[in-house]
Amino acid sequence: MSEDDIKAPNNNQHEEEPIPSVQEPEGLNPSPPINPPSHALQVWKGIGLLLLLHLLLFIVPVAFFFISVAQLVYLIPALILFRKNRGILQGLLIGAGITFLLNAACFGLLLGGDLRI
């Protein structure tokens, strides 16, 4: 008899078969997604962007007296440019509203005679 004919008893009866590995379909990225910036941060970026755009008014200083109308010159293109980023869009609109209200309040004080230049 040869050694191949004699089989040793299987002492490892509790040995588990290896689990076949599940492969990800091609084209999928297994890395976790990058967290997008928070919405509040995007809104603050929009407000800051509008403040930087207000610095354009130093080119024509007379525009400060008509800032509510003059800001439309640079606000409308900025709104079109950032229309897909809702946070920055909202920040631009919030900043434009604050600018308009502040200008209206100062104009009302000037027109009412309580504030003199």
Side-chain angles (χ1 to χ4, degrees):
M1 267 195 183
S2 69
E3 290 180 22
D4 292 334
D5 293 337
I6 302 173
K7 294 185 179 178
N10 190 358
N11 293 335
N12 298 330
Q13 292 177 358
H14 298 294
E15 217 177 276
E16 295 181 10
E17 292 182 19
I19 299 173
S21 63
V22 178
Q23 294 181 356
E24 294 287 327
E26 289 184 28
L28 293 180
N29 188 3
S31 63
I34 299 172
N35 292 335
S38 70
H39 184 73
L41 180 64
Q42 293 292 319
V43 171
W44 282 110
K45 283 182 181 179
I47 293 171
L49 177 63
L50 187 69
L51 290 175
L52 288 175
L53 289 172
H54 282 330
L55 293 177
L56 292 174
L57 295 175
F58 282 108
I59 296 171
V60 183
V62 176
F64 277 111
F65 292 106
F66 307 103
I67 190 169
S68 293
V69 178
Q71 78 174 343
L72 293 177
V73 172
Y74 52 86
L75 181 63
I76 291 175
L79 291 175
I80 292 170
L81 184 66
F82 291 105
R83 69 179 174 264
K84 293 189 180 188
N85 191 333
R86 295 186 73 177
I88 292 180
L89 184 72
Q90 287 177 351
L92 287 169
L93 291 173
I94 289 170
I98 291 171
T99 302
F100 177 78
L101 291 175
L102 185 61
N103 185 39
C106 291
F107 182 74
L109 287 173
L110 184 65
L111 194 62
D114 293 337
L115 180 69
R116 299 189 191 278
I117 296 181

